[in-house]
Amino acid sequence: MSGAVRWSGLAAAIVFAASLLGFGLALPGYSQVVHPVAVLGAMGVPHALGFNLLGFVLPGALSATVAMGLRRRLPGDAGWSLRVGVQLVLLSALGFAAMGLLPLDPEDLDNPASSLHATAWMLWWVAFVPGALLVALGLRRRVAWRMLASASVAAALSVLFVALLAVELMPAGIAQRSGYAAWLGWLCIASRNPRA
């Protein structure tokens, strides 16, 4: 496994967290607890382009690297569920990157720009959840991949919970960040397990 792929998941997590923290501190009145992540990259917000590139596009590209590296490391006898799962995870990474290319319009959450951003967000989680579950299904009997199989189930269920229920139970900022944290944690494991 190349060194770049092995560290792509961790790099995505660090870049995302640093961007979220740094741009959040630079925006007066921004609350990590209350406000969605996308506010930092919304149209008209100072430094929005920088956040979109560093907070969404770069981590999305790094996560795509993880998915492609995982695809190359699959066992030769990997079945359809594993192969389709990895393809869905790659699609999810592209959805995450697209959130930075299709910024939210905070003045009108129902206009086409905001709808495109919401579609990219939905692509991220709707592709990741079944993708990760299929990865877990495909790896369930492979001892060397046990950590990734377990992490795939945990991350998929966490992201699903956040997308469908958590916003009703906790502040939106915390709910969304917990979903992103589960996904980024999965990327860290997927980029390094098993060692090749």
Side-chain angles (χ1 to χ4, degrees), residues 158-182:
S158 295
V159 169
L160 183 63
F161 171 74
V162 166
L164 299 181
L165 298 171
V167 177
E168 304 297 326
L169 304 174
M170 61 184 76
I174 292 175
Q176 189 181 60
R177 283 157 182 79
S178 64
Y180 289 151

Side-chain angles (χ1 to χ4, degrees), residues 3-93:
V5 172
R6 286 191 65 197
W7 294 104
S8 293
L10 182 60
I14 290 170
V15 169
F16 177 78
S19 298
L20 190 57
L21 181 62
F23 285 94
L25 289 172
L27 183 60
Y30 185 78
S31 168
Q32 300 285 358
V33 172
V34 175
H35 294 112
V37 171
V39 168
L40 294 172
M43 295 176 184
V45 171
H47 314 294
L49 178 60
F51 177 78
N52 282 328
L53 293 176
L54 294 173
F56 285 127
V57 175
L58 182 55
L62 289 166
S63 65
T65 301
V66 171
M68 290 185 293
L70 181 58
R71 176 70 176 90
R72 285 191 298 272
R73 292 186 348 259
L74 288 179
D77 61 345
W80 71 268
S81 64
L82 189 49
R83 294 183 189 285
V84 171
V86 172
Q87 293 300 108
L88 286 171
V89 167
L90 175 59
L91 188 59
S92 171

